[in-house]
Structure formats: C-alpha cells, structure tokens
Amino acid sequence: MSTTISTSTTARLEEKIVELGPWHLNVQVTPEIGTSIYRDAIKNDPQHAEASSNVAFVDPGDKFKKLMQKIYPNGLKDKRFLDCACNCGGYSFWAKELGASECFGFDVREHWINQANFLLENRTFPNENVNFAVQDLYDLQKQNLKPFDITLFKGIFYHLPDPVSGLKLAADLTTELLYLDTATRSNFDDGALVIANENKNALMSGMYNLNWFPTGPKVLMNILQWAGFQEFHLLFWRKDTHGNSSRTKVNQNVRNGRLALLASKKPGLFDGLEKERSDRRELKLQQKD
Ligand SMILES: C[S@@+](CC[C@H](N)C(=O)[O-])C[C@H]1O[C@@H](n2cnc3c(N)ncnc32)[C@H](O)[C@@H]1O
C-alpha cells in the first residue's frame, strides 16, 4: 500500500517539476527527487529544450552551505535571511537547512515564484517561516520588512537600470552580511559601471532593458562602503568567463567576467575566512620550498 502511494506521489512530483520548467537551480524536493529530473525529462523534447536553452542549470547548494558554515560555524540559528531575485528560492531553503529562523525570497517573475512555492509546499525538509513573493526589487521598501541579518544579492546587480539605488535598498535592510555575486566587464579599469541593453523578455534577465556591469570589485566596494558596510572579502574574480551572454547585447568587444564579494557591517565577521586564506597561502609557499 505505502509503495503505491509513494510511487504515485513520485510520479505527481516529477510531472509537476517538468511542467514548471525551465529550472535554473538544482534543489532537492525529497531526498530522492530533485529539480534535475527536468533536465533528464526534456532531453528528447524539442519544445522544452527550446524553452530552457537560455537558462543555465546549476547546482550551488553544497558550496553555498559550506561557505555559510565557514562564516557562521554555529549555523544560522536566529538569523533572518533575505534573497533578492531568489529565482526558485533554493538559497532560502539551504539557509533554512542551516537553521535560519526566517527566510524571505522575492523575484520579479511569476515563473520563478511558482517554482519556489511548489518547493515550499512539497519539500520534505524544514520549511517553516520560509516565504516568497513576486516582487520587483525597486518595490522592496513598500513592504515595511523587518531588517535581515544576511542578504543575498546574487545575479541581480547587472540586471538593473539603476544598480546603485537597487543595491542600497537591499543594504539598508541588512544588519550584518551581504553576499554580492555579479557579472563584470573586465576590459576597463576598475572603478566604473559599463552600460548595456539586455533582452528584458528572457526569463533570467532584468525587466528594464537598460543594465550596467561593474568593472570589478573596487567599484562595488565603494558603493557598499557608502551604503554602510565596513569590511569586505573577495571570494573570487574571474576576469574572463569566455563568450558573450546571449541575453546581453553590447556595441563593443567585451570581456565578460564574474565575481563574488562579501560585505559586512559587523567587524571581524570574515576573520575565519581570512585566516583560512592565509593558511592556504602559507601551505602553498611551504610546498614550493
Ligand atoms: C541571473 S538570475 C539569478 C537568480 C538567482 N539569484 C541566482 O543567483 O541563482 C536573475 C534573476 O533576477 C530576477 N530579476 C531581474 N530583475 C529583477 C528585479 N528588478 N527585481 C526582482 N527580481 C529581478 C530574474 O527574474 C531572475 O530570476
């Protein structure tokens, strides 16, 4: 009897995952079923393949959780977590797995929030006090939200017509840590924002056609310092990620890059990360000797 129920539940979940695609993030719904089944299901279906061609499928969950555990070795207990442009909400679920007390994710596109709400209803992992909304970043203030300890600003900076004001809205709601991940334009001296015009109809892009790429971490640190952050930790900056994004048209030869940067309003929050980095450097030097 229980096998029958489980089999039909599995079939229902799989059917719904395929219906809700394309997916960007690999998120487990149950220990056995993840959103990755969409990838398998569409392999021989040209209609789905076309729809998902501009949506990269990535699996950052474990890496994100490991990073958070390095910054917060005791977990995210009592932390409020905000995810700006949350897509299907993966990072909120992972923050919840680490013990966050409350998670709120928003995205301007209903397509992604439908996925997030499906996961919320069907995940067999802790989901209390996780909420999602269809919302534009620029309307964030209207909600009178309580401040958050941790804010994720990932994949959104370079999809905004006014990224400085957009980032400031998120920064003002953040009391401790902001995690910024963005595409960059690396063929300019760092210290500027480079204009572009993206396709606003693509599921993964912005809504305004006008967008700006930072030239590197320096310009972002300046903006974040102005927005109240005191300490920074550059996780990575790859100056060439090879190939131009099909979603972004610019009138010049461009070098696409990517960076991830942590900003803190709490002094000493990155001490553990900095120590680990210097230990690694030390070890490398010793190995060279
Ligand atoms: C490149 S994806 C990044 C998704 C996710 N944050 C991640 O890192 O995997 C960009 C996301 O930003 C959303 N988005 C674009 N403009 C937005 C806006 N003004 N307000 C809220 N979400 C926006 C898109 O719908 C899309 O889900």
Side-chain angles (χ1 to χ4, degrees), residues 183-204:
T184 61
R185 281 283 178 268
S186 324
N187 48 320
F188 298 87
D189 285 344
D190 189 9
L193 299 176
V194 180
I195 199 163
N197 292 108
E198 67 180 350
N199 173 5
K200 64 180 180 185
N201 299 317
L203 274 176
M204 293 290 283

Side-chain angles (χ1 to χ4, degrees), residues 24-25 83-87 91 106-109 112 135-138 154-156 158-160 203-208 247:
H24 170 52
L25 296 174
D83 186 356
C84 304
C86 66
N87 202 263
Y91 291 89
F106 68 88
D107 197 288
V108 75
R109 285 192 173 82
W112 302 121
Q135 192 185 299
D136 192 315
L137 172 72
Y138 291 113
K154 188 170 178 298
I156 172 75
Y158 63 101
H159 288 307
L160 298 171
L203 274 176
M204 293 290 283
S205 68
M207 301 295 284
Y208 295 93
R247 297 188 298 277

Side-chain angles (χ1 to χ4, degrees), residues 9 78 133 160 271:
T9 303
D78 297 329
L160 298 171
D271 286 356

Side-chain angles (χ1 to χ4, degrees), residues 12-194:
R12 181 185 63 80
L13 289 177
E14 291 187 350
E15 198 178 307
K16 196 71 190 162
I17 290 170
V18 174
E19 187 189 316
L20 287 171
W23 292 81
H24 170 52
L25 296 174
N26 188 15
V27 183
Q28 286 308 120
V29 185
T30 70
E32 298 80 26
I33 307 168
T35 59
S36 59
I37 69 119
Y38 176 79
R39 307 276 295 172
D40 307 327
I42 64 161
K43 268 185 194 141
N44 298 317
D45 182 334
Q47 199 190 334
H48 281 300
E50 168 72 27
S52 63
S53 61
N54 276 333
V55 180
F57 188 72
V58 293
D59 188 11
D62 285 347
K63 206 169 166 192
F64 171 73
K65 285 193 276 185
K66 269 187 200 141
L67 175 67
M68 286 297 122
Q69 281 166 324
K70 278 183 195 167
I71 305 169
Y72 297 104
N74 299 321
L76 300 186
K77 191 172 169 293
D78 297 329
K79 301 285 181 203
R80 285 167 50 77
F81 180 84
L82 172 67
D83 186 356
C84 304
C86 66
N87 202 263
C88 73
Y91 291 89
S92 292
F93 295 119
W94 300 321
K96 187 72 205 177
E97 284 173 29
L98 295 176
S101 59
E102 227 175 304
C103 301
F104 174 60
F106 68 88
D107 197 288
V108 75
R109 285 192 173 82
E110 212 172 335
H111 173 87
W112 302 121
I113 297 302
N114 286 341
Q115 293 184 348
N117 284 330
F118 161 78
L119 292 172
L120 191 59
E121 278 163 33
N122 292 288
R123 278 190 103 227
T124 55
F125 301 86
N127 275 356
E128 314 82 62
N129 297 322
V130 177
N131 289 291
F132 298 106
V134 177
Q135 192 185 299
D136 192 315
L137 172 72
Y138 291 113
D139 293 331
L140 197 55
Q141 259 176 340
K142 288 186 193 159
Q143 276 201 281
N144 283 327
L145 293 165
K146 270 191 351 196
F148 293 86
D149 302 282
I150 303 169
T151 294
L152 191 62
F153 205 79
K154 188 170 178 298
I156 172 75
F157 186 94
Y158 63 101
H159 288 307
L160 298 171
D162 178 356
V164 179
S165 303
L167 182 56
K168 181 75 161 60
L169 288 171
D172 286 349
L173 267 181
T174 310
T175 55
E176 211 162 284
L177 171 71
L178 187 139
Y179 178 157
L180 173 56
D181 179 300
T182 175
T184 61
R185 281 283 178 268
S186 324
N187 48 320
F188 298 87
D189 285 344
D190 189 9
L193 299 176
V194 180

